[in-house]
Amino acid sequence: MKRCVIVGYGGMGSWHARHILERGAVELAGIYDIKEERVALARENGIYAYPSFEAVLADESVELVTIATPNELHKPLAIAALRAGKNVISEKPVTLSSEDLAEICAVANECGKLFTAHQNRRWDCDYRMIREAYHSGKLGKVTSVESRYHGSRGIPGDWRGKKEHGGGMIFDWGIHLIDQMFGIVDDRKLLRVYCKCDHITNDEVDDGFKLDLYFEGDLTARIEVGTTNFISLPRFYITGVDGTGWVNDWKDDCRLVLCRTWEDKDVAPVVTAAGFTKTMAPRDEKTTVEEWIKRPETEVHEFYHNFAAAIDGKATQFVTHKQLMRSMRVMEAAFRSDALGAPVAFEDIETEPREF
Ligand code: NAD
């Protein structure tokens, strides 16, 4: 079994360690962290703590390094690990620029080692259900997909509020939602990007954003993250000519309301203070039907199983360099658009087909 070291034993590093210990797709050789208290905690948890990063690199029994440090450190640590002959999983966002990402991928190819990023939210049930709704054909021609996370506790932690560490919500949650959106809308090119960042609790980095992606074939995707939303909008909302779908929260099933007919669609009007409306009155069950997509069972540790198999040449890694580059370039376009206050053209790249 592949021996793995986790570099950075903080919130996410300890999640990786726990998962590896519980699920066993790879073997946990140990961790490395610069903070004494994190090292002490690892030892309390019965995990070996390497004395230095050099010691990790020098351990020939280690084939895989998972990097779970603050974002600006992913690149130098990944390059050093690849050059030492390790395969590397980096936490997201894989880097802070496409140039940096290209450099890491070039080193990985030069060293003949695998490199990927932990896009674990491909295993989220809400995402999987909307992906199914998009591909079901039940909605007719899909016109929009909206994906949101709303919280009300500001930017979490310490370094996430600082630019020098690659903070901000585009890098933190945006990357997950962009990666998911490319998994849903996987059949068309992205043409334009428009983004407006929020600075409600933080001037230095975005504490939320509204990102619109304009795909060919008149499909618009909205990705929105907020950290001062005391009432949340639904997690996903998808519209097509013949139906609408939504997932209210990540614990919920996906509700579809599908059109039976565009012919006989008369309804009783809704009476408002200013008058009545039939246009905006909801349809009834004579002309629509409700269906549900049930939450699927997913197993996020497939990510490690897949990467271990890919190292042995027995599988293709789920999260590829091109997919990482496409999402990275969307984040860059989003920052450019926010600075300009206008949409920017996007020169799309072809990526490998995705299983999910
Ligand atoms: P954190 O602050 O809780 O942990 C970071 C750890 O890295 C700390 O223990 C710190 O001491 C250590 N560290 C800093 N510099 C180091 C160095 N040079 N060498 C070794 N260790 C070093 O942060 P976090 O919330 O765990 O986030 C870490 C990474 O994980 C980030 O990239 C973040 O975006 C990512 N993350 C991913 C997910 C996900 O769902 N995929 C969730 C949370 C965080």
Side-chain angles (χ1 to χ4, degrees):
M1 198 181 281
K2 313 260 165 290
R3 281 168 54 77
C4 173
V5 174
I6 294 161
V7 176
Y9 187 67
M12 199 56 197
S14 48
W15 181 94
H16 280 279
R18 211 170 45 249
H19 258 243
I20 289 173
L21 289 170
E22 284 169 7
R23 314 288 168 94
V26 295
E27 182 187 336
L28 185 63
I31 63 101
Y32 168 64
D33 199 294
I34 52 167
K35 277 193 196 144
E36 221 11 82
E37 69 264 26
R38 299 307 298 181
V39 169
L41 181 65
R43 288 190 178 130
E44 257 174 54
N45 291 335
I47 297 169
Y48 176 69
Y50 283 80
S52 65
F53 185 52
E54 290 66 35
V56 175
L57 302 187
D59 185 343
E60 285 180 5
S61 76
V62 171
E63 276 185 83
L64 173 59
V65 169
T66 294
I67 299 169
T69 60
N71 299 339
E72 87 284 11
L73 296 170
H74 297 170
K75 178 188 164 189
L77 294 170
I79 288 181
L82 289 163
R83 290 216 180 278
K86 314 297 183 198
N87 301 282
V88 173
I89 296 170
S90 167
E91 257 309 337
K92 43 51 63 175
V94 57
T95 53
L96 308 183
S97 75
S98 50
E99 261 182 14
D100 284 353
L101 175 56
E103 207 179 317
I104 302 180
C105 295
V107 172
N109 292 340
E110 183 193 320
C111 298
K113 294 291 152 190
L114 295 195
F115 173 74
T116 194
H118 189 228
Q119 296 298 159
N120 50 326
R121 293 201 172 274
R122 291 188 188 186
W123 281 264
D124 275 358
C125 302
D126 46 9
Y127 153 67
R128 292 282 183 100
M129 289 185 291
I130 288 294
R131 186 173 199 264
E132 188 181 329
Y134 178 87
H135 287 282
S136 68
K138 291 182 173 177
L139 304 175
K141 179 182 179 322
V142 175
T143 51
S144 78
V145 185
E146 299 181 22
S147 168
R148 290 190 173 80
Y149 272 118
H150 280 160
S152 58
R153 302 175 60 237
I155 297 178
D158 43 10
W159 59 265
R160 281 181 175 78
K162 306 248 166 53
K163 205 175 172 73
E164 63 181 300
H165 296 301
M169 297 312 286
I170 290 188
F171 279 140
D172 199 40
W173 273 95
I175 178 60
H176 282 306
L177 302 194
I178 293 165
D179 181 68
Q180 287 183 342
M181 195 56 82
F182 281 139
I184 299 166
V185 185
D186 60 359
D187 52 355
R188 52 190 86 200
K189 272 192 187 160
L190 177 60
L191 305 176
R192 268 189 333 281
V193 170
Y194 178 59
C195 184
K196 169 84 179 68
C197 291
D198 298 328
H199 294 278
I200 300 165
T201 58
N202 189 305
D203 290 334
E204 198 175 319
V205 296
D206 70 286
D207 52 22
F209 62 88
K210 293 175 186 71
L211 168 63
D212 290 329
L213 306 179
Y214 300 91
F215 287 91
E216 65 182 10
D218 281 335
L219 191 152
T220 308
R222 164 155 287 207
I223 294 175
E224 186 178 323
V225 170
T227 53
T228 51
N229 295 71
F230 296 88
I231 298 175
S232 300
L233 284 171
R235 169 73 189 91
F236 272 109
Y237 182 71
I238 179 168
T239 60
V241 177
D242 296 323
T244 304
W246 87 333
V247 177
N248 192 39
D249 197 354
W250 39 19
K251 320 182 272 307
D252 296 332
D253 295 335
C254 173
R255 179 178 175 225
L256 303 177
V257 175
L258 307 174
C259 179
R260 284 186 202 273
T261 173
W262 271 102
E263 301 309 317
D264 180 17
K265 55 184 179 351
D266 203 27
V267 288
V270 169
V271 182
T272 73
F276 70 91
T277 171
K278 271 195 176 189
T279 314
M280 296 305 162
R283 281 179 179 244
D284 55 33
E285 62 282 1
K286 286 203 286 285
T287 70
T288 56
V289 61
E290 187 178 79
E291 284 187 17
W292 292 85
I293 298 175
K294 291 277 173 214
R295 269 170 59 102
E297 294 285 323
T298 63
E299 170 50 88
V300 68
H301 213 59
E302 277 176 13
F303 175 85
Y304 268 99
H305 280 289
N306 163 261
F307 199 61
I311 293 172
D312 286 336
K314 293 183 181 149
T316 306
Q317 67 189 62
F318 284 148
V319 184
T320 68
H321 293 187
K322 280 187 188 165
Q323 292 162 7
L324 293 172
M325 184 58 86
R326 195 179 184 207
S327 299
M328 185 70 240
R329 290 182 59 238
V330 170
M331 293 194 288
E332 286 179 328
F335 289 125
R336 258 196 336 273
S337 164
D338 178 58
L340 271 173
V344 296
F346 189 79
E347 206 176 305
D348 210 346
I349 49 174
E350 275 215 17
T351 61
E352 299 78 3
R354 279 168 58 156
E355 201 174 315
F356 47 80

